[in-house]
Amino acid sequence: MEPSEAAGAHDPITENMYTGSQNSFPGDLIDSSDLSNADREQIAQLMNALARLREAERTLSEASRRFMKLSEQDMRALHYLIAAKRQNAVVTPKMLSAHMVMSAASVTKLINRLEREGHVIRKLHPSDRRAYAIDVTAETARSARETVGRAQARRIHAAAHLTSRERDAVIRFLDGMAEELSLSNADWAKQL
């Protein structure tokens, strides 16, 4: 099965996950009585566009993981290490543990596996001789850049086609969405 088939391409339900009848626009979850039908339709289109973006990112990430023969967890760790390298930052196991929200023992296993597979190297910490730093190998950094990195960078084209005001609106929207989706706004999550 092709990835586009698996992703539900040309499936009318998948393509319109946030579209429904006027009465079902998610009236059972939020009060949308102050929205016009045109507003509801445009909001549904916006939510569907976000769903398509998430699916495109998921498909790209999955293909990159398969290409590099890595797990999602491995890719998250490598992404962090590559970002740190770009920022000339030193990464310690403790920093990686905090980023990955993993125990020290689990991060040690992750680092050992990535080191064994030639993706990372351990070296002495430049300012703390009692600690060590983790760095991504040049080959893995190059491979990640040529696969997912190059594809992800093409998103800049979409942002470049917007005006400065449009980009400001998108930033406000995405930051607002992140805040609305924050677990601090979910009473049920406080029970976890």
Side-chain angles (χ1 to χ4, degrees):
M1 181 180 295
E2 291 296 312
S4 61
E5 291 172 359
H10 308 297
D11 171 2
I13 295 172
T14 301
E15 291 176 3
N16 297 291
M17 294 293 282
Y18 296 93
T19 305
S21 68
Q22 290 177 352
N23 298 332
S24 69
F25 180 81
D28 57 331
L29 299 174
I30 62 165
D31 178 14
S32 62
S33 60
D34 60 333
L35 297 174
S36 70
N37 289 340
D39 286 340
R40 286 186 184 104
E41 178 58 32
Q42 190 175 35
I43 290 168
Q45 289 175 17
L46 179 59
M47 294 300 112
N48 285 326
L50 280 172
R52 288 189 299 275
L53 172 62
R54 283 191 305 270
E55 184 59 27
E57 287 177 328
R58 188 197 63 74
T59 301
L60 175 63
S61 178
E62 191 176 284
S64 178
R65 284 194 314 269
R66 278 195 320 267
F67 177 78
M68 294 183 70
K69 297 175 179 65
L70 295 167
S71 71
E72 185 172 349
Q73 190 176 62
D74 295 343
M75 288 295 282
R76 276 189 63 224
L78 291 174
H79 183 250
Y80 182 74
L81 292 169
I82 290 167
K85 188 179 208 81
R86 261 195 327 267
Q87 298 171 31
N88 295 317
V90 176
V91 176
T92 64
K94 184 176 181 178
M95 292 167 67
L96 188 58
S97 177
H99 172 72
M100 300 291 292
V101 191
M102 293 172 68
S103 70
S106 294
V107 164
T108 298
K109 287 179 185 176
L110 172 69
I111 294 167
N112 288 344
R113 184 175 65 252
L114 290 174
E115 185 177 44
R116 199 172 40 252
E117 293 172 2
H119 297 296
V120 301
I121 56 172
R122 296 176 218 229
K123 52 188 179 183
L124 286 176
H125 192 285
S127 61
D128 182 355
R129 293 297 184 202
R130 296 168 296 156
Y132 68 91
I134 310 154
D135 200 2
V136 65
T137 63
E139 182 180 334
T140 293
R142 184 175 47 257
S143 182
R145 198 180 103 196
E146 292 303 316
T147 57
V148 73
R150 189 169 300 283
Q152 292 277 14
R154 287 195 301 263
R155 292 188 289 189
I156 291 172
H157 296 303
H161 291 321
L162 300 175
T163 66
S164 177
R165 291 182 73 167
E166 289 170 330
R167 284 190 292 270
D168 283 340
V170 172
I171 292 166
R172 278 192 315 277
F173 168 70
L174 293 175
D175 285 345
M177 274 287 246
E179 176 59 31
E180 292 293 335
L181 291 174
S182 168
L183 289 181
S184 64
N185 291 323
D187 291 336
W188 59 266
K190 295 172 182 142
Q191 299 171 20
L192 297 177

